[in-house]
Amino acid sequence: MEIAVLLVLLIFALLILYIAVTEMANFMQTRVPFVPTSKVDLVDMVQRVGITKNDYFYDIGSGNGKVVFAVEELTGARSKGLQRAGWTQMYAKLRKFLTGSKSEFVSGNFFDHSWQDATVVYGYLYPFLMNQVAEKALADCQAGTKLVIRDFPIHSLKYRDSWQTPSDHTMYLYVI
């Protein structure tokens, strides 16, 4: 019995260590921490942007997949999360498996992955990445693709609309 308890504690400690190490490694590589978006803001975004089952939704920096799962649930849209490997991506892939979600999760640098199939791209990233997001979207996305960016605008593009979310964040809508 004592060995079983010690084994459970060891597994728990290793899990916590894995989470801490991967989160720190991702932060050191990207300088962007994991910050979730509230469900009420996601519902608001889906309605305002008009995301439908005909869209292919990408979340760049998808973290634990909350946005991807919410958009899939609310709209039936094909959804893809792009995130560096780590505990959040492992959690998203486990949740996908357990729930039977059709969403796709791709590990790696989202700038190295093509965005050409996306009709809507969502991102909550820091200001120093916004010019790269604009360059990538202009290079990869088809005309009419919508970019929805939370809190930090892309200064090199003119946004079509902006609004305050129910939890007081600013969303910016760009159309390529």
Side-chain angles (χ1 to χ4, degrees):
M1 182 67 169
E2 290 176 12
I3 292 176
V5 170
L6 288 175
L7 187 58
V8 168
L9 288 175
L10 177 62
I11 291 170
F12 181 73
L14 289 173
L15 179 63
I16 296 299
L17 181 62
Y18 171 75
I19 290 170
V21 168
T22 59
E23 188 64 20
M24 181 59 79
N26 281 337
F27 180 75
M28 295 300 290
Q29 291 174 339
T30 65
R31 301 284 189 238
V32 178
F34 170 63
V35 181
T37 302
S38 72
K39 179 81 177 234
V40 68
D41 286 353
L42 296 175
V43 171
D44 181 67
M45 175 190 71
V46 164
Q47 292 172 348
R48 286 180 185 263
V49 174
I51 301 171
T52 71
K53 66 181 180 177
N54 298 321
D55 283 306
Y56 196 173
F57 178 86
Y58 278 37
D59 180 5
I60 54 175
S62 61
N64 66 4
K66 179 180 182 177
V67 174
V68 173
F69 291 122
V71 169
E72 178 187 39
E73 176 187 322
L74 292 167
T75 68
R78 286 178 56 200
S79 299
K80 181 183 285 190
L82 304 169
Q83 173 70 30
R84 288 190 180 274
W87 76 271
T88 57
Q89 185 73 329
M90 293 290 286
Y91 174 84
K93 289 178 178 181
L94 177 63
R95 183 175 171 193
K96 171 189 160 65
F97 173 76
L98 293 174
T99 63
S101 168
K102 295 178 183 171
S103 295
E104 182 181 354
F105 292 94
V106 178
S107 297
N109 184 334
F110 49 77
F111 289 122
D112 294 338
H113 184 80
S114 174
W115 300 359
Q116 69 182 7
D117 294 334
T119 59
V120 180
V121 177
Y122 172 80
Y124 181 32
L125 305 168
Y126 276 16
F128 65 88
L129 291 171
M130 290 300 120
N131 284 337
Q132 288 176 275
V133 169
E135 291 170 10
K136 180 70 172 172
L138 291 170
D140 279 14
C141 295
Q142 303 296 316
T145 301
K146 299 173 183 176
L147 300 179
V148 184
I149 304 298
R150 179 177 154 188
D151 288 334
F152 303 110
I154 300 172
H155 294 295
S156 60
L157 297 177
K158 182 175 170 128
Y159 60 85
R160 178 167 292 178
D161 193 12
S162 70
W163 66 92
Q164 291 301 117
T165 67
S167 64
D168 205 30
H169 291 276
T170 304
M171 293 284 199
Y172 299 91
L173 174 65
Y174 303 85
V175 179
I176 301 300

